Amino acid sequence: MDSIVVKGGRELNGQIHIAGAKNAALALMPATLLSEEPLTLTNAPRLSDMKTMAELLRSLGAEITALQDGKVQVMSTHGAINTTADYDIVRKMRASNLVLGPLLAREGHAIVSLPGGCAIGARPMDIHTDGLEKMGASIELKDGYLHAKAAGGKLKGAVIDFPFASVGATENLMMAATLAKGTTVINNAAREPEIVDLATCLRAMGAQIEGDGTSRIEIQGVDRLGGATHPVVTDRIELGTYMLAPVFTGGEIECIGGRMHLVESFVEKLDAAGVDVTETKLGLKVKRRGDRPRAVDVTTEPFPGFPTDLQAQMMAMLCIADGKSVLTETIFENRFMHAPELIRMGADIEVHGNTATVTGVDKMKGAPVMATDLRASVSLILAGLASEGETIVNRVYHLDRGYEHVEEKLGAVGAQIERITGK
Ligand code: UD1
């Protein structure tokens, strides 16, 4: 298994290009199941999760060609398709559950493995299945698989009130509703930029959707969807991650492709922590004002609140901030697994349930560490940039799921970082 070695203490300066959003692309790819015509995604991120989604879609009958080193994905799902999403692929990645809505909408039935829990929490699918049931589907759990069938072979429009603004459920239901009979309204829908990106692509394919980006989305079902070419929105989580890099090290980084509206709540916290962010023609420029960031309290929330996917990286920064910060995680029940690893690097963190109190230290020290999830791994790399000595981050396969060429991107702006290829 590969590991990443970081030697701390180097100031970072220059530009980092931000990729297309993983979480948007993983919802956009299953949209190919809704149409017989080709769907082309440009600005696709080159990540192992994209390969997993391609493997799943191919197993269902889609043809997928990756062009320009994976940056362009051409997908086509014409003819007969298989409606069973197998456990062996689904278990690798929770976003696999996003094929359920499209399969059910197109074929009227689907058998999709439940993804199972993951390191950060149990992550059930009740909001997805309750919504599909409201649209006339009957869903049964047998042998770990959801067996779903639309009454009369076609989903019907419905008014669906989500108990929580789930991102995945909003995406699944929005896709399902595009081909349903009649109008579907999703109340308390998620408002993430990735939802808007998916709705924009579906509209380009001929779907009738209004209200994406607000908590009420209305979808008028149509008989068929066509093809489209769609550029994937910038990855606001990769953006936020690299925006933090100069806060750890000093220097100035311009994140190319970054836009303020994608990271407003995050930028508010950076400002309170003593970090300047300015919008340029090409992206966002970041520089810390003093020698050290200041402590700041953070609570994760659905968009437009502070994203849970930047919580680990923010915690790493608060470890070297001046003062005491309280971090509260409200989205996932078990998302502080990076804390014990950061403590091994000299951080002062106390975790009580869903809050963590971080007392900043002057300097952290490099150590061998490992991560249990994607955002946790990158938080350890960021901490390594500001630590004395060498940090070795193991289990890099987590990182490769969501960050393309992290060592090249950070290396190009001055970091001492390399990948050691294991067996
Ligand atoms: C998506 C993102 C993930 C991000 C998360 C929250 C993708 C591929 N992943 O995940 O990176 O951290 O949004 O911003 O886009 N829940 C239920 N029942 C359900 C669905 C969700 O109880 O049917 C709970 C989950 O267990 C979790 C919370 O709701 O505690 C948020 O989940 P959700 O918004 O659905 O996240 P995902 O779509 O899985």
Side-chain angles (χ1 to χ4, degrees):
M1 258 184 274
D2 292 3
S3 46
I4 299 259
V5 180
V6 189
K7 287 191 186 122
R10 288 269 198 101
E11 199 181 276
L12 301 185
N13 284 290
Q15 295 180 324
I16 296 179
H17 286 262
I18 307 302
K22 167 181 89 77
N23 286 351
L26 291 178
L28 289 161
M29 289 177 75
T32 180
L33 299 171
L34 293 165
S35 169
E36 301 234 342
E37 286 171 36
L39 173 61
T40 300
L41 298 181
T42 59
N43 196 34
R46 292 161 290 180
L47 303 167
S48 64
D49 269 7
M50 297 289 287
K51 292 191 180 137
T52 306
M53 183 56 87
E55 187 191 350
L56 174 62
L57 293 172
R58 281 195 188 103
S59 78
L60 301 175
E63 283 170 24
I64 301 177
T65 316
L67 304 173
Q68 292 179 27
D69 186 26
K71 272 199 137 183
V72 175
Q73 301 271 336
V74 184
M75 300 172 289
S76 175
T77 318
H78 49 81
I81 61 175
N82 166 24
T83 51
T84 301
D86 203 76
Y87 176 64
D88 277 344
I89 310 177
V90 175
R91 71 184 165 80
K92 291 187 195 165
M93 185 181 69
R94 178 172 165 89
S96 304
N97 64 23
L98 294 174
V99 301
L100 177 61
L103 284 177
L104 201 49
R106 173 156 165 176
E107 296 294 316
H109 56 91
I111 302 176
V112 175
S113 169
L114 266 185
C118 70
I120 61 176
R123 302 179 90 174
M125 275 193 69
D126 53 323
I127 304 174
H128 303 238
T129 51
D130 289 355
L132 291 168
E133 279 173 350
K134 275 227 143 166
M135 297 179 73
S138 60
I139 301 182
E140 238 189 301
L141 178 64
K142 270 192 260 169
D143 308 323
Y145 282 78
L146 294 171
H147 292 245
K149 237 189 200 132
K154 197 164 172 70
L155 291 171
K156 292 190 307 280
V159 176
I160 300 161
D161 299 310
F162 280 170
F164 177 82
S166 157
V167 174
T170 304
E171 292 165 343
N172 235 337
L173 271 289
M174 197 162 73
M175 286 193 277
T178 57
L179 293 178
K181 193 166 182 299
T183 306
T184 300
V185 174
I186 306 173
N187 289 316
N188 196 22
R191 291 182 279 166
E192 271 67 1
E194 294 75 24
I195 305 280
V196 176
D197 203 43
L198 175 61
T200 305
C201 176
L202 292 169
R203 269 192 295 268
M205 294 167 74
Q208 291 192 17
I209 304 175
E210 279 175 22
D212 45 298
T214 76
S215 52
R216 183 185 186 279
I217 302 180
E218 188 170 322
I219 307 116
Q220 180 76 50
V222 296
D223 286 339
R224 58 175 294 282
L225 294 181
T229 295
H230 176 80
V232 180
V233 67
T234 298
D235 194 319
R236 65 197 163 94
I237 307 301
E238 192 197 29
L239 171 64
T241 302
Y242 288 124
M243 285 171 72
L244 283 174
V247 186
F248 283 83
T249 62
E252 187 174 69
I253 295 289
E254 187 175 20
C255 293
I256 306 298
R259 282 289 149 233
M260 204 61 107
H261 70 92
L262 296 172
V263 280
E264 254 161 24
S265 58
F266 175 66
V267 169
E268 264 170 41
K269 291 295 172 187
L270 286 186
D271 183 45
V275 180
D276 282 334
V277 180
T278 42
E279 201 160 31
T280 64
K281 242 181 166 171
L282 298 178
L284 296 178
K285 231 179 214 176
V286 187
K287 190 179 168 58
R288 77 177 181 215
R289 291 197 279 273
D291 287 344
R292 229 180 135 180
R294 287 196 299 269
V296 42
D297 294 343
V298 173
T299 300
T300 63
E301 280 166 351
F303 192 86
F306 191 97
T308 175
D309 286 351
L310 284 172
Q311 179 260 106
Q313 301 88 314
M314 192 70 176
M315 182 189 278
M317 186 203 89
L318 296 175
C319 289
I320 53 153
D322 187 8
K324 193 179 271 196
S325 315
V326 177
L327 264 165
T328 308
E329 171 59 57
T330 72
I331 310 292
F332 292 109
E333 65 272 21
N334 187 24
R335 209 175 193 179
F336 284 141
M337 274 115 32
H338 36 283
E341 299 300 309
L342 291 167
I343 290 169
R344 299 190 62 246
M345 297 174 72
D348 180 350
I349 306 168
E350 276 178 48
V351 174
H352 296 286
N354 73 336
T355 63
T357 306
V358 183
T359 308
V361 296
D362 273 348
K363 241 296 94 4
M364 288 168 72
K365 295 197 172 69
V369 284
M370 65 183 175
T372 38
D373 74 77
L374 162 60
R375 308 303 170 185
S377 357
V378 85
S379 75
L380 299 171
I381 290 181
L382 289 175
L385 294 173
S387 298
E388 267 168 13
E390 199 172 82
T391 299
I392 304 164
V393 183
N394 293 306
R395 292 202 187 166
V396 171
Y397 58 87
H398 286 299
L399 191 76
D400 294 335
R401 289 188 42 214
Y403 290 90
E404 54 173 47
H405 311 306
V406 73
E407 63 280 14
E408 286 168 30
K409 288 191 181 187
L410 285 171
V413 292
Q416 270 189 293
I417 177 168
E418 61 172 330
R419 177 182 291 256
I420 310 288
T421 309
K423 281 172 233 147

